[in-house]
Amino acid sequence: MKSKPTYQELEKENIKLRKELDENFKIEETSLLDNILRSSTEMSVAVTDIDLNVIFFNPKAEEIFGYKASELIGKNLKEIHVMENVDYARVQKAIDIVRQGDIYDYWVKMDNSTGIRTLKSQVRGIWDKKNELVGFVLFTTDMTEQVDAEKEIKKLSIAVEQSANTIMITDTDGNIEYANPKFTELTGYELKEVIGKNPRILNAKIQSKEYYAEMWQTITAGNTWKGEFCNKTKQGNLYWENVTITPIKDKEKITNFLAIKEDITARKKAEMALKDSEVGLRQIIDLVPHLIFVKDEAGKFEIVNKATAEVFGTTVKDLTGRRDEEFIATEEEKKHFRADDLEVINSGKTKFIPEELITDSTNNIRYLQTTKVPFRFSPTTKPLLLGVAVDITDRKKAELKLQKQNKELKIAKEKAENSKNQIELITNNFVNGMIYQVAILDENKRKFNYVSEAVYALYGCTPDEAKENPDLIYSKVHKDDIHNLIKKEK
């Protein structure tokens, strides 16, 4: 496809045509003139006689003005302007200037079938060999594309100059040829200080040589590179940039490199602060002996602490991002936990589970007391579940042991009660003497644990009264026998 001529090329053709036109009118070789004018493919040529009647209209003029030559040849310019409803005053002004031997240049916008066009026109006189004015010629060039391109270039230039991002252009060796005002604002370097210098003057030496080598290899191969730079200002302050470097090519040959760089210093500081905060939070939750975890709707662990990972016999890193069903030991437990999780997420309500069982990685049963809270993570509003589970296994085992002991004690007590009843039955009905069990507290004190009903007949008190006050019996024993009684009891 033939490329469009440049403005300079059109000007050269214009000058050439005017020169040939002047020469041919002087020698009056009209047939040669006609061939010359019709051969112009990029410039419109319209010729009138001295009375402003159109005598020539080349194909380019037909294209620009939308009329066939046959429609205009022989018509007067005044008549044509009436047809077009155009003010004739400019034509009169041009004629007056040309009659004085000058050239009249002007620009005009015209709306035709292809839209609004921007035209550059020039009116010149045609002089014969006697140097008398015999006609007029109008050269017109359609400058629409060039004007539009210049507008775009100007718009782009303003955008680059006013961009909130640093924009830099280097040669193929990486030496700076241009940098916009944002560069100066960010780095502290004036443009004149860095022209011809390599951007490595900004290098803070935080990133490795290999990092920059990979970048250079990418762009010199004709590919776009994206990454981050940690640089330093003229004053030595560090700053971060998000960078895109693109090769500029002319017919596949790299002529320059364009770098567009966004200042992300504030973001990087926030990320670093967040990372420090996350490290601190990680240390805190890993110190907590309770199970702490965050899961999504699919049961995938988003966050877990060390205690949770240990229950499943794995690490925090390995457990994070994986689904709970990969680690839960039994199908029954999988169904139980899944049902509870979905209930909390779907209902949006907190659930407290006083006691639930989980089989750990060593196949031991653990008792948990769990609270599950629904929430949404703010950046994505993704529905999640926060769980905190207290391991109550030791407490539960102690409770079970106590329950077992209480049960055994109850059984023993019932057996003892039965034995007591049997003894009382025998002693009360078949033994005439008193049967008793005594506890010796010291040399002078006694306490009855058991006394048969015969005590009433012998000592005149009930068994309960004897147990309450042993002296009711010992006070009635003869003083000479008390020593023998005590000796026998011992």
Side-chain angles (χ1 to χ4, degrees), residues 20-21 62 121 129 133 156 184 262 268 287 301 318 328 332 341 384 419 478 487-488:
E20 291 173 342
L21 180 64
E62 293 179 333
S121 298
K129 289 185 294 183
L133 185 63
L156 178 61
T184 298
E262 177 190 3
K268 291 294 285 188
L287 288 172
F301 287 107
D318 184 55
I328 298 173
E332 183 179 353
D341 290 352
L384 298 171
S419 297
H478 191 275
K487 185 177 179 180
K488 289 179 180 179

Side-chain angles (χ1 to χ4, degrees), residues 419-477:
S419 297
K420 176 184 175 183
N421 292 338
Q422 290 176 353
I423 291 171
E424 288 180 348
L425 179 64
I426 294 171
T427 57
N428 291 337
N429 290 281
F430 300 102
V431 180
N432 293 325
M434 182 185 77
I435 298 175
Y436 65 95
Q437 182 186 45
V438 68
I440 302 172
L441 302 179
D442 57 32
E443 191 67 26
N444 299 312
K445 290 185 179 180
R446 300 288 186 274
K447 178 182 178 182
F448 292 112
N449 288 332
Y450 172 76
V451 181
S452 67
E453 291 289 344
V455 70
Y456 185 79
L458 293 173
Y459 296 101
C461 62
T462 65
D464 288 338
E465 289 174 335
K467 285 191 286 184
E468 182 70 23
N469 187 3
D471 286 341
L472 292 176
I473 295 175
Y474 286 103
S475 62
K476 295 179 181 181
V477 176

